Amino acid sequence: MKTIGLLTSGGDAPGMNAAIRAVVRTGIYNNIRMLGIREGYQGLLEGDLDDMDTASVGDIIQRGGTILRSARSDEFMTKEGFRKALNVIDVYNMDGLIVLGGDGTFRGAQELSQAGVPTIGIPCTIDNDLSYTDYTIGFISAVDTAVDAIGHIRDTSTSHGRSVVVEVMGRNCGDIALYAGLAGGAESILVPEVDYDIELVCQKLLAGKNRGKQHYLVVLAEGAGSGVDIARQIEDKTGIETKVSVLGYIQRGGAAASFDRIMASRMGKRAVELLIEGKKNRVLGFKCNEIIDMDIDEALSMKKVFNEELYDLASVLSI
Ligand code: F6P
């Protein structure tokens, strides 16, 4: 293993920089030439890359975003774009490639693996939507940001006796809503994995009001509907003034939580070690408190299991 390429792709996530640092420093520690590719697969096919040294990853462990920048490349999905990417890998004598990202990024890695490029994936997405792993880097940082925002919203909604629908990210996965809703003490959590009845949400709100509650927080996953629609329905059905707060991109930025930095450091080091050991076409994950690696085809064929136990817990505690 003489040369390894590294890229970040798809939506950025806090902890990506800590993973870049770990990959680059583990590579250099093992006398490997480390190439940082800019803007994901787009940069790969354009040959937009540079050597990285230990100093180039200094002072980034805490920073959100990705110093390598990110992109969602349509060109890479074309035959011609893919061919260009393979050519760049060849020209730079890359013996392996490490990709940081989520599902879309791993699909690209799978294609490259099938074309014979030894590829390792590190799961980085705030959505926590990859089925083979309990955890994706960036998730808890995003949840912490959402919980902090929910606390602020709770203060003002209590002052005014309003109800607020807080819409969080997560694409088709309800994990950010579930964890932020549970930690933020939301009265209702609406996620795409569980059918909900807006009538029951409203009945709960009114029952709380009758008991003297001054606020009512609904945490809504973006994949479960529109915050604006839900807020309008709640207001129409209950007569209680209902606001909506879409948290949006504040969840994707900001300093990475310490757990994310540690996961990123562990997985980054392991990714390089796997390539040195001659392993290829694998993705890293976290299962039962252990860092694991799995064949990329197997990992991508698994179905995500929603945490019903946590959902039930949140329901019981919000009566
Ligand atoms: O995958 C991370 C994520 O932030 C999702 O939660 C969200 O649906 C999506 O990316 C937004 O993507 P983009 O920034 O490309 O619009």
Side-chain angles (χ1 to χ4, degrees):
M1 192 56 49
K2 294 200 174 85
T3 306
I4 293 177
L6 166 68
L7 60 82
T8 54
S9 164
D12 60 355
M16 269 184 167
N17 279 329
I20 292 171
R21 172 180 178 269
V23 167
V24 169
R25 291 202 170 158
T26 306
I28 288 169
Y29 181 81
N30 288 284
N31 300 314
I32 297 169
R33 181 183 183 199
M34 301 302 296
L35 295 174
I37 301 156
R38 290 185 205 89
E39 297 194 16
Y41 293 113
Q42 190 61 35
L44 178 62
L45 66 88
E46 288 172 4
D48 184 5
L49 47 81
D50 261 325
D51 276 285
M52 298 187 86
D53 58 17
T54 48
S56 65
V57 292
D59 195 26
I60 65 166
I61 192 167
Q62 77 288 2
R63 273 162 55 189
T66 158
I67 60 162
L68 289 175
R69 301 166 46 87
S70 192
R72 300 190 198 276
S73 171
D74 290 334
E75 192 181 350
F76 178 72
M77 311 303 280
T78 65
K79 257 196 177 153
E80 181 55 15
F82 191 71
R83 198 195 53 71
K84 282 187 194 167
L86 289 179
N87 188 44
V88 170
I89 289 170
D90 200 37
V91 166
Y92 283 89
N93 293 316
M94 289 184 212
D95 304 305
L97 186 69
I98 296 176
V99 303
L100 276 58
D103 188 66
T105 306
F106 285 3
R107 304 260 163 218
Q110 194 177 29
E111 299 271 317
L112 287 169
S113 298
Q114 283 160 5
V117 181
T119 306
I120 305 290
I122 301 179
C124 295
T125 164
I126 62 166
D127 299 340
N128 204 35
D129 60 348
L130 293 169
S131 29
Y132 73 93
T133 177
D134 292 342
Y135 192 75
T136 61
I137 293 164
F139 173 66
I140 214 66
S141 300
V143 168
D144 282 349
T145 301
V147 170
D148 193 40
I150 288 168
H152 291 213
I153 291 165
R154 178 193 284 274
D155 289 345
T156 174
S157 72
T158 303
S159 302
H160 291 267
R162 286 169 175 161
S163 145
V164 182
V165 177
V166 183
E167 183 183 313
V168 299
M169 277 187 165
R171 210 179 284 275
N172 298 316
C173 178
D175 279 16
I176 296 178
L178 175 62
Y179 282 70
L182 179 58
E187 276 73 19
S188 286
I189 301 172
L190 309 181
V191 293
E193 294 87 346
V194 181
D195 290 338
Y196 59 86
D197 181 348
I198 198 72
E199 294 293 342
L200 294 180
V201 173
C202 291
Q203 278 172 25
K204 197 171 174 188
L205 187 158
L206 287 171
K209 191 178 182 219
N210 290 338
R211 285 202 319 271
K213 266 198 171 189
Q214 296 301 311
H215 62 258
Y216 191 88
L217 292 171
V218 178
V219 175
L220 168 74
E222 64 178 352
S226 140
V228 175
D229 286 352
I230 303 278
R232 193 178 305 126
Q233 287 183 56
I234 291 176
E235 189 165 288
D236 289 350
K237 287 178 195 296
T238 62
I240 297 172
E241 186 181 17
T242 304
K243 300 287 185 183
V244 60
S245 211
V246 179
L247 298 191
Y249 288 99
I250 67 160
Q251 295 159 99
R252 276 221 324 231
S258 50
F259 186 73
D260 279 325
R261 300 183 202 184
I262 290 163
M263 280 291 123
S265 301
R266 293 176 72 187
M267 290 196 202
K269 175 171 179 280
R270 189 73 194 115
V272 176
E273 286 171 354
L274 285 174
L275 285 174
I276 292 172
E277 288 164 15
K279 309 239 173 70
K280 49 190 173 184
N281 316 336
R282 300 190 76 75
V283 284
L284 285 155
F286 189 63
K287 271 265 169 216
C288 306
N289 239 8
E290 300 274 348
I291 303 291
I292 55 134
D293 58 273
M294 189 182 276
D295 177 76
I296 193 162
D297 297 329
E298 189 187 347
L300 292 181
S301 67
M302 292 170 77
K303 202 174 152 13
K304 170 98 178 153
V305 179
F306 183 67
N307 194 330
E308 306 266 351
E309 195 189 322
L310 272 194
Y311 187 80
D312 291 345
L313 172 66
S315 305
V316 169
L317 299 185
S318 62
I319 46 168

